[in-house]
Amino acid sequence: MVTIGDVARAAGVSRSTVSYALSGNRPISLETRERISAAIRELGFTPNAGARALATSQTKVIGLLVQFFSDEFSPAMLQYVLPISDAARDAGYDILMVTEKDGPRALKRITDSNMVDGVILLNVAHDDPRVDPLRGSGKPGALVGLPRSTGGLDIFDLDFGEAARMIIDHLHALGHREITLISPHEHVISRGGAYAWRFRDAALERAARYGLRIHARYGEVQQPAVGAALNAVLDEWPSSTALVIHNDAMIAGLPSVLSARSVRVPEDLSVVGIFSEDFGRLFSLPYTAIETSPDKLGRAAVRALVERMQDPEAAGEPVVRFIAPELTDRGSTGPTPGTPL
Amino acid sequence: MVTIGDVARAAGVSRSTVSYALSGNRPISLETRERISAAIRELGFTPNAGARALATSQTKVIGLLVQFFSDEFSPAMLQYVLPISDAARDAGYDILMVTEKDGPRALKRITDSNMVDGVILLNVAHDDPRVDPLRGSGKPGALVGLPRSTGGLDIFDLDFGEAARMIIDHLHALGHREITLISPHEHVISRGGAYAWRFRDAALERAARYGLRIHARYGEVQQPAVGAALNAVLDEWPSSTALVIHNDAMIAGLPSVLSARSVRVPEDLSVVGIFSEDFGRLFSLPYTAIETSPDKLGRAAVRALVERMQDPEAAGEPVVRFIAPELTDRGSTGPTPGTPL
DNA sequence: CTGAAAGCGCTTACAG
DNA sequence: CTGAAAGCGCTTACAG
């Protein structure tokens, strides 16, 4: 392996001069700089990451803790991971991706051993066991997902409450008076996936204010339960004129159920979902939906974390930021069936 | 941060003794060992990864280079990444995941700087520009996907040729004489995705041997082109009694097209795909298929790489290993329509 | 069974 | 504008 000493010898300067030329931390004469670059090029020198980390206490690596639950639909995760990885690279960081089941333990390992300069937690639950260890790690951290306690970390999430209100407002304005709402799987609630009840509670409250009838139930995650649950819902409340689905698996399974039942959207039924554009494209979903913006959330987390890693003072107080939901109209909502034009 | 020196002081021994106690590289008296463990526990010591890497030239990190193409269907990638990450962790390694567009450059960065002990390349193309730099890096490497030149690296892939022959044999045995074959997107071929033609060529050859008529065409990746292409194929060769689909997006889009056309499977049409169990579950695909075993491939790559990193001598000559395809019967193939029982 | 010391390859005050 | 030296936190021959 070629070291900074080899470069120094080839360029006829000291190792410190090479180091300063590399970092730009002090002025180097043009001539010296050129001799050094030439030597670096010829020898093919790349600084040793471990040595650099040891000397600077900086690894230029971000730890990314992902978490998969069997009660969630998997393809969603990649939509967060890729933008995070790209944004990190743009900022000069690499990603150490950890999928270990025991999140707190993994967190302790990578922070205590100084493998990373900071950590991003994905898919954060209300009582997420990773949050406290992250706070105690002494490393800056950014979360995607809202935990119960919010101090000390930069937190980003979609405003699920506002998303629910937007959807209810939208349907109410179209004249709908009876709505069926499908939430994530019940397990998501019981293990503390706060997005589930944040959306649900806000939808129920808003509907109540308008005096709308709303039928709420939990959804499934796997076939054939998904199809059965959709059919059950449609059978049970045939007078509902709108279907709001906050559940990836259920909305992905909806087109085939509706086509089998010859239900026309939006003529017979209005449908609104909550999913990202990419997800919609993947499953060819022709439904109006609140955009979940995984790329925005991921990039915001990286940006905040990078600032805090580079200059903890300048970064100021940690923020809790909700991304404003946007309704993407794909034409799947219309006036209540029977409404005169 | 607590260092090995702090532990040594607390335990009343030298730093080297602590180090040896940690590594087990020399016998330590029971009493000393216990004093050391107690000190480690009390102080909460974790060895500094950078310092250890510098001293040992080992990082215990595997570089994972993933690559996304717009002509491929994205959810497939995660099926490789997760098992690889889990298997690596089981072997004591962490994963540095790199998604950079410029693969060769990323590879050079992480190997030259000694950030990783070895590298796994995912989704390897026939003339993959990452393969030669990996060979030249001096680090062991394992590939998932078959490149043109195979020396020096452990290579794992599904036996696509055998997969094609199994499918054709299966359909031939059921009496089918006219088959439609849908390949990946044409772009996959032109950029050197060898799995596309390895499957296609073998299928055509086998069909020719049996004297079967086979209609082959490339598929699409995005809606609405996917649906249109499926309908076009069904319109163009209505006398085909079997459909073989080697294209994730096309097979995911098939159920809705068939149901819209009221085509019954397998009564009117036999269908065979090539996809993993997870993928089939995700899209609720009721089709008999060759299992692509992404988890097996990923784990095999990790296993080979770990052996080679731990003991390059003992690992022997690099291998090229094809995973034997298995046909998972989901009941979507039957005798040619009109065949008497 | 244990310790003192050199060395891994960088960075950065300190000195000139 | 540049160099010599100390130090980051480990591991591992070398010595006893």
Side-chain angles (χ1 to χ4, degrees):
Chain A
M1 107 164 297
V2 24
T3 74
I4 201 171
D6 300 326
V7 174
R9 200 171 317 113
V13 297
S14 73
R15 295 187 302 154
S16 55
T17 300
V18 176
S19 177
Y20 283 117
L22 244 29
S23 67
N25 279 346
R26 84 178 177 192
I28 309 279
S29 75
L30 180 62
E31 193 216 319
T32 307
R33 224 183 308 137
E34 281 174 348
R35 280 215 314 282
I36 292 176
S37 338
I40 289 179
R41 214 175 314 115
E42 277 160 31
L43 299 175
F45 167 71
T46 307
N48 180 292
R52 184 172 267 183
L54 184 56
T56 62
S57 307
Q58 269 202 52
T59 62
K60 290 288 183 178
V61 174
I62 292 173
L64 178 63
L65 267 74
V66 304
Q67 218 172 8
F68 291 86
F69 295 109
S70 56
D71 54 22
E72 284 177 340
F73 209 49
S74 62
M77 191 54 62
L78 209 58
Q79 306 180 265
Y80 292 89
V81 172
L82 286 184
I84 285 175
S85 173
D86 290 342
R89 188 84 285 281
D90 289 345
Y93 287 82
D94 276 296
I95 293 288
L96 194 78
M97 189 188 66
V98 182
T99 59
E100 216 168 329
K101 291 284 158 280
D102 187 343
R105 185 187 158 87
L107 188 63
K108 189 164 166 45
R109 180 166 48 80
I110 66 174
T111 55
D112 286 1
S113 66
N114 239 291
M115 296 182 81
V116 299
D117 294 340
V119 172
I120 294 180
L121 259 39
L122 240 40
N123 206 357
V124 171
H126 196 234
D127 280 301
D128 198 303
R130 303 170 300 174
V131 171
D132 277 336
L134 176 53
R135 277 205 191 92
S137 73
K139 305 275 182 199
L143 317 189
V144 176
L146 180 67
R148 177 201 296 277
S149 75
T150 59
L153 301 164
D154 291 301
I155 299 174
F156 302 89
D157 204 358
L158 183 69
D159 189 337
F160 283 96
E162 184 58 22
R165 288 185 288 273
M166 282 176 67
I167 292 175
I168 298 298
D169 287 355
H170 178 76
L171 292 172
H172 176 251
L174 286 167
H176 295 271
R177 308 285 303 159
E178 186 173 353
I179 297 170
T180 298
L181 166 64
I182 299 181
S183 292
H185 194 283
E186 201 171 352
H187 289 163
V188 174
I189 304 264
S190 54
R191 71 163 164 73
Y195 60 91
W197 67 73
R198 279 160 55 206
F199 184 90
R200 193 173 185 273
D201 292 353
L204 294 176
E205 189 194 314
R206 193 68 151 208
R209 183 199 292 193
Y210 289 135
L212 307 182
R213 291 192 61 190
I214 188 158
H215 310 291
R217 64 156 287 172
Y218 301 115
E220 298 290 336
V221 268
Q222 274 199 9
Q223 292 290 8
V226 162
L230 284 167
N231 277 306
V233 159
L234 295 169
D235 289 340
E236 190 169 353
W237 299 298
S239 51
S240 270
T241 57
L243 191 55
V244 176
I245 303 194
H246 178 206
N247 181 315
D248 289 345
M250 296 287 281
I251 195 123
L254 186 61
S256 68
V257 168
L258 292 185
S259 103
R261 298 173 70 109
S262 302
V263 173
R264 294 165 307 161
V265 174
E267 293 80 357
D268 304 326
L269 184 69
S270 287
V271 175
V272 186
I274 312 161
F275 52 78
S276 74
E277 201 187 327
D278 277 355
F279 185 88
R281 195 175 313 119
L282 194 62
F283 288 92
S284 314
L285 302 180
Y287 307 125
T288 293
I290 294 285
E291 167 64 43
T292 54
S293 307
D295 53 332
K296 267 193 202 165
L297 285 166
R299 286 177 194 284
V302 170
R303 204 173 318 124
L305 185 64
V306 166
E307 274 178 28
R308 205 165 291 283
M309 290 185 302
Q310 326 250 61
D311 193 345
E313 319 298 311
E317 280 305 295
V319 302
V320 177
R321 205 159 80 224
F322 291 108
I323 304 262
E326 284 172 38
L327 197 72
T328 304
D329 193 335
R330 296 191 180 86
S332 67
T333 59
T336 317
T339 304
L341 300 182
Chain B
M1 106 166 301
V2 25
T3 74
I4 201 172
D6 300 326
V7 175
R9 200 171 316 113
V13 297
S14 72
R15 295 186 304 153
S16 54
T17 300
V18 176
S19 177
Y20 283 116
L22 243 30
S23 66
N25 279 346
R26 83 178 177 192
I28 309 280
S29 76
L30 180 63
E31 191 216 320
T32 306
R33 224 182 310 139
E34 281 174 347
R35 279 215 314 283
I36 292 176
S37 335
I40 289 178
R41 214 174 316 114
E42 276 160 30
L43 299 176
F45 167 70
T46 308
N48 180 291
R52 183 172 267 183
L54 185 56
T56 62
S57 307
Q58 269 202 53
T59 62
K60 289 289 185 177
V61 174
I62 291 173
L64 178 63
L65 268 73
V66 304
Q67 217 172 8
F68 291 86
F69 296 108
S70 56
D71 55 21
E72 284 177 338
F73 208 50
S74 62
M77 190 56 60
L78 209 58
Q79 305 180 269
Y80 292 90
V81 172
L82 286 185
I84 285 174
S85 172
D86 290 341
R89 186 85 285 282
D90 289 345
Y93 287 82
D94 275 297
I95 292 287
L96 193 79
M97 189 187 67
V98 182
T99 59
E100 217 166 328
K101 290 286 158 280
D102 188 343
R105 187 187 156 87
L107 188 62
K108 190 166 164 43
R109 180 166 48 81
I110 65 174
T111 54
D112 285 1
S113 66
N114 240 292
M115 297 182 82
V116 300
D117 295 340
V119 173
I120 293 180
L121 260 38
L122 239 40
N123 205 357
V124 172
H126 196 232
D127 280 301
D128 198 302
R130 304 171 298 175
V131 171
D132 276 336
L134 177 52
R135 279 205 190 90
S137 74
K139 304 275 181 200
L143 317 189
V144 176
L146 180 65
R148 177 202 295 280
S149 75
T150 58
L153 302 163
D154 290 303
I155 299 173
F156 302 90
D157 204 358
L158 182 68
D159 190 338
F160 284 96
E162 184 58 22
R165 288 185 288 273
M166 281 176 67
I167 292 175
I168 299 296
D169 287 355
H170 177 76
L171 293 172
H172 174 251
L174 287 167
H176 296 271
R177 308 286 302 158
E178 186 174 352
I179 297 171
T180 297
L181 166 65
I182 299 180
S183 292
H185 194 282
E186 201 172 350
H187 288 163
V188 174
I189 302 265
S190 54
R191 70 162 164 72
Y195 60 91
W197 68 73
R198 280 159 56 206
F199 184 89
R200 193 172 185 272
D201 292 353
L204 294 176
E205 190 195 312
R206 193 66 151 212
R209 182 199 289 193
Y210 289 136
L212 307 181
R213 292 192 60 191
I214 188 158
H215 311 292
R217 63 156 287 170
Y218 300 115
E220 298 291 336
V221 266
Q222 273 200 8
Q223 291 291 10
V226 162
L230 285 167
N231 278 305
V233 159
L234 295 168
D235 289 339
E236 190 168 354
W237 300 298
S239 52
S240 271
T241 57
L243 190 56
V244 176
I245 302 194
H246 179 204
N247 181 315
D248 289 345
M250 296 287 281
I251 196 124
L254 187 61
S256 68
V257 168
L258 292 185
S259 102
R261 299 173 69 110
S262 303
V263 173
R264 295 165 306 162
V265 173
E267 292 81 357
D268 305 326
L269 184 70
S270 286
V271 175
V272 186
I274 313 162
F275 51 78
S276 73
E277 199 186 329
D278 278 354
F279 185 88
R281 194 175 314 120
L282 194 61
F283 289 92
S284 315
L285 302 180
Y287 307 125
T288 294
I290 293 286
E291 166 65 42
T292 54
S293 306
D295 52 333
K296 267 193 201 167
L297 285 166
R299 286 176 195 284
V302 170
R303 206 174 316 124
L305 186 64
V306 166
E307 275 179 26
R308 205 165 290 284
M309 290 185 302
Q310 325 250 62
D311 194 346
E313 319 298 312
E317 281 304 296
V319 301
V320 177
R321 204 159 79 223
F322 292 108
I323 303 262
E326 285 172 40
L327 196 73
T328 304
D329 193 335
R330 297 190 180 86
S332 67
T333 59
T336 317
T339 304
L341 301 182

